[in-house]
Amino acid sequence: MNEICEFGHMLTVTGVHFNLLDPDPSKIKIEDIAHGLAYTCRWNGHTKTYYSVAEHSMRVHDEFSNYTRNRGMYSRKRALAALLHDAEEAYWGDIIRPIKNMYPEIEEEILKLRLIIMNKFDADYIGGVENIIKADDIVLKWEYNNVVCLSKCVTEHPFLVKQKFLSLFDILTENKRVNK
C-alpha cells in the first residue's frame, strides 16, 4: 500500500502499481490502457453525451487508415500508432490542450510515456505522426460539432467500447498481446 501513496504512483485496474514519472514498460498492459481510455471522458467531461477517449482513438484510427489507404501509404504499425496515439491518457487522464500548452513540462512527461507505449507495442508513431496528427485534428473538429456542441453522436457503454478497442488492437497486432 505504501508504494501507491508515493509521489507519482497510481494503481491500475489490473492491480499494477505504476509510476507516472518513471514508467516501467513491463508494467504497461493493453488491458489497463483499454480500460482507462474507455472509462475516461473526452473534453474533460464537457460533452452533451458521454464520449470516451477510446471511442476517439478508434475514430482517429479509422480516419488515419482511410486516408493512408487511399494514398497507398497504409501500414499496420502506423495504424496501431493511430489507435494508441492517446494511450498515455489511460494513466495521465485526458488533459485538455490549453493545460498542456500552459505547462510544457507536463506535455514532455506525457510524450515520454506515449513513446514508451509505442515502443512496447511496436507501433510506428514517428513514421506516421504527421498523418496521425491530421486524422486527430479532423476527428477533433467532428467531435466539437457532434459531441461537444450538439448531441449527434450515439455512444456505447464503456465496457463494450473497451472490448472493441481490444479487438481492434488484436487485429492490428495479429493477436499478439504483449505483456512482457
Side-chain angles (χ1 to χ4, degrees), residues 38-105:
Y39 285 86
T40 299
C41 191
R42 285 274 294 157
W43 296 85
N44 212 18
H46 294 277
T47 58
K48 300 290 184 192
T49 186
Y50 182 82
Y51 181 75
S52 71
V53 176
E55 288 171 287
H56 163 80
S57 297
M58 289 186 288
R59 282 188 195 277
V60 170
H61 163 270
D62 292 348
E63 184 67 36
F64 172 87
S65 295
N66 290 335
Y67 180 84
T68 57
R69 276 194 178 109
N70 290 338
R71 286 156 183 77
M73 303 181 314
Y74 179 83
S75 154
R76 186 181 293 241
K77 287 184 177 188
R78 290 179 183 173
L80 178 60
L83 178 67
L84 297 176
H85 80 282
D86 281 338
E88 73 283 350
E89 292 182 12
Y91 302 95
W92 279 93
D94 183 29
I95 300 173
I96 58 175
R97 284 187 186 186
I99 293 174
K100 290 178 185 176
N101 293 337
M102 289 185 321
Y103 299 99
E105 64 277 8

Side-chain angles (χ1 to χ4, degrees), residues 18-28 109 112-113 116:
F18 191 80
N19 185 341
L20 287 167
L21 303 176
D22 186 20
D24 177 353
S26 71
K27 293 188 173 193
I28 295 170
E109 292 296 328
K112 179 173 88 174
L113 181 53
I116 289 169

Side-chain angles (χ1 to χ4, degrees), residues 66-151:
N66 290 335
Y67 180 84
T68 57
R69 276 194 178 109
N70 290 338
R71 286 156 183 77
M73 303 181 314
Y74 179 83
S75 154
R76 186 181 293 241
K77 287 184 177 188
R78 290 179 183 173
L80 178 60
L83 178 67
L84 297 176
H85 80 282
D86 281 338
E88 73 283 350
E89 292 182 12
Y91 302 95
W92 279 93
D94 183 29
I95 300 173
I96 58 175
R97 284 187 186 186
I99 293 174
K100 290 178 185 176
N101 293 337
M102 289 185 321
Y103 299 99
E105 64 277 8
I106 291 175
E107 181 70 14
E108 289 172 24
E109 292 296 328
I110 289 169
L111 181 58
K112 179 173 88 174
L113 181 53
R114 179 182 300 158
L115 294 176
I116 289 169
I117 291 169
M118 295 295 174
N119 186 55
K120 167 149 181 127
F121 296 113
D122 198 26
D124 184 8
Y125 181 73
I126 301 302
V129 69
E130 183 179 320
N131 289 321
I132 292 169
I133 290 170
K134 283 180 189 174
D136 196 21
D137 286 344
I138 289 168
V139 171
L140 181 81
K141 289 173 188 163
W142 181 89
E143 290 170 349
Y144 181 76
N145 290 319
N146 294 283
V147 181
V148 175
C149 294
L150 303 170
S151 186

